[in-house]
Amino acid sequence: MRTPAIALFHSTFTVAPRVGASAPGRVNLIGEHTDYNGGPVLPMAVARRTTAVAGPAEPGVLEIVSATDGAVRRFLYKDDPGTGWGRYLVGVARELASRGVVPPGFGARVAIASDVPVGAGLASSAALTVAATRVLAALGDAELDPRTVADIAYHAEYDHVGVRCGRMDQTIAVLGRRAHALLFDCATLETAQIPFAGRLLLVDTRVRHELAASAFNDRRAQCEAALERLRTVRPELAWLAEWPATELPRLRRLLPEPLRRRALHVVGETARTRLAARELRGRRLRAFGRLMYQSHDSCRRLYECSAPELDLVVRAARKAGAWGARMTGAGWGGAALVLVDAKREARTAEAIRRAFVRAFGGEPGITPIVSGPGARRERI
Ligand code: GLA
């Protein structure tokens, strides 16, 4: 994506870009809707990336163009919040300016090229904000440590765009490593790289969600309401994910529906993700896969963030003998992950495809998942 981004910059602004950077999309192997509840997540960076190249512009101006539509958008970013995907870039520019990473009145032209599909559950927005943070910091001659890059990208999305996301996507986009999953404890911010040698298929249902407009923010509010009620008996509780898995009967008594179901998911998924990390460390992929199925079931029944298309893929995968399968990312559409026995990969993919076409008519997109490295500077 480096060459298309450079070519786009040239053809749009008729000068060469000065700096470049890129960041990957991700799949989340397990630990869904736990990040903003202070639980663990286990994502892996994929080979699909977003590349941003940049050069200077007039003071206070952000001029952006994407290979998707080639339209140039221009924002006076201090006052103008931007529109569409431009809001993410305005968010990054404002964060960098308010932290003094770039000088006051900083202006930039940015061209973006990406092969991370939007709305497929691969965290395309974090790939965009992390690539933008790296490239704009580079344009301002600033060196940022990885945690700061993730933090700036997170605040761009959370504060400026208004998506109440957690920190998983930005963190994996920065710290991702080829053939490794990242165990990230969202309460302590501790991380550990765990080798991942499984074969995974990505099944894109092609059902698209608009994250900000979806039930995501509602779910987050429900989790906050559940935490507040649980604090009446345990005032020291900092996060919902801290509730002990051994005290589920008590949690059930304390919470009304739907808060009860949401909290049961978060506490169960937290325990499952810790166990899954242990199975992965021990290279027990079949046991890991069983936890993926359980996670999907919990997302479907308790968190109610699945979709009929995702449920069908998971059922078909199980029937075809896959070791595990689950939705990945926020849900309500997007893609499912299928952990397969390498010897049965083609047969499993075909069985899922046929079941999907029979049920919904359209073809799903089925591709093997290739892992990739985290964010990096790109040569210009
Ligand atoms: C989206 C958010 C993440 C996380 C997942 C659900 O991808 O951006 O922070 O909450 O949903 O696990």
Side-chain angles (χ1 to χ4, degrees):
M1 287 295 119
R2 189 169 67 90
T3 314
I6 295 172
L8 178 66
F9 193 97
H10 261 292
S11 62
T12 308
F13 303 118
T14 64
V15 287
R18 197 180 280 170
V19 286
S22 70
R26 62 100 186 93
V27 288
N28 187 21
L29 303 182
I30 196 163
E32 218 63 86
H33 295 281
T34 45
D35 62 350
Y36 52 85
N37 287 303
V41 291
L42 198 59
M44 181 172 80
V46 296
R48 294 175 177 221
R49 304 180 77 79
T50 295
T51 300
V53 297
E58 290 161 53
V61 170
L62 198 56
E63 263 185 295
I64 62 174
V65 62
S66 145
T68 316
D69 62 5
V72 182
R73 294 171 168 84
R74 188 184 151 93
F75 308 112
L76 286 162
Y77 65 85
K78 196 165 150 278
D79 302 311
D80 183 349
T83 52
W85 64 274
R87 289 173 304 157
Y88 291 86
L89 262 65
V90 167
V92 170
R94 286 183 178 179
E95 271 302 312
L96 289 168
S98 73
R99 295 174 188 224
V101 177
V102 295
F106 172 82
R109 287 166 158 174
V110 185
I112 303 283
S114 177
D115 61 2
V116 185
V118 175
L122 298 190
S124 59
S125 56
L128 176 64
T129 49
V130 168
T133 302
R134 288 290 306 257
V135 85
L136 293 182
L139 189 62
D141 283 327
E143 274 296 328
L144 297 175
D145 64 85
R147 301 278 179 160
T148 306
V149 173
D151 192 56
I152 290 171
Y154 166 75
H155 281 286
E157 181 154 358
Y158 189 94
D159 298 330
H160 297 275
V161 183
V163 180
R164 301 290 173 233
C165 58
R167 291 177 179 270
M168 163 170 69
D169 301 345
Q170 300 79 13
T171 305
I172 184 66
V174 170
L175 299 179
R177 203 192 273 181
R178 207 173 264 130
H180 284 74
L182 183 77
L183 177 64
F184 175 39
D185 185 316
C186 302
T188 62
L189 305 185
E190 274 167 28
T191 55
Q193 300 279 358
I194 307 180
F196 181 80
R199 289 287 294 177
L200 284 168
L201 295 173
L202 185 76
V203 183
D204 186 352
T205 63
R206 306 194 200 275
V207 177
R208 294 293 179 251
H209 62 260
E210 180 45 61
L211 191 60
S214 76
F216 189 93
N217 287 356
D218 275 8
R219 289 293 184 280
R220 180 151 192 172
Q222 290 169 344
C223 289
E224 275 158 20
L227 176 61
E228 207 167 297
R229 281 177 184 252
L230 295 176
R231 274 188 185 141
T232 57
V233 298
R234 275 183 178 257
E236 74 286 2
L237 211 62
W239 301 93
L240 187 53
E242 265 176 23
W243 185 269
T246 46
E247 285 185 34
L248 292 184
R250 192 161 177 224
L251 180 147
R252 279 200 185 89
R253 278 197 306 276
L254 288 165
L255 296 178
E257 290 293 4
L259 307 191
R260 183 186 302 151
R261 267 173 291 152
R262 309 299 183 241
L264 285 172
H265 167 76
V266 170
V267 175
E269 186 76 351
T270 293
R272 233 179 340 262
T273 304
R274 297 221 164 94
L275 180 57
R278 282 202 291 279
E279 303 293 19
L280 205 57
R281 280 205 173 96
R283 308 202 175 229
R284 291 179 292 274
L285 282 177
R286 283 170 193 258
F288 184 85
R290 283 193 289 275
L291 294 167
M292 290 174 75
Y293 281 128
Q294 287 172 22
S295 166
H296 183 81
D297 214 45
S298 179
C299 286
R300 179 176 63 80
R301 286 188 311 110
L302 299 174
Y303 216 71
E304 296 176 283
C305 58
S306 186
E309 292 82 355
L310 291 166
D311 297 340
L312 179 123
V313 170
V314 172
R315 273 201 312 276
R318 198 195 279 267
K319 213 166 147 209
W323 290 346
R326 59 181 301 278
M327 50 161 275
T328 188
W332 295 287
L337 293 178
V338 182
L339 180 66
V340 291
D341 176 352
K343 293 193 291 284
R344 295 177 56 91
E345 181 172 335
R347 252 180 298 163
T348 308
E350 181 52 19
I352 294 169
R353 192 193 70 78
R354 260 190 279 120
F356 194 94
V357 172
R358 212 177 309 126
F360 302 110
E363 289 275 342
I366 306 186
T367 44
I369 292 175
V370 182
S371 68
R376 62 179 182 220
R377 283 286 297 274
E378 295 285 349
R379 253 181 321 106
I380 291 297

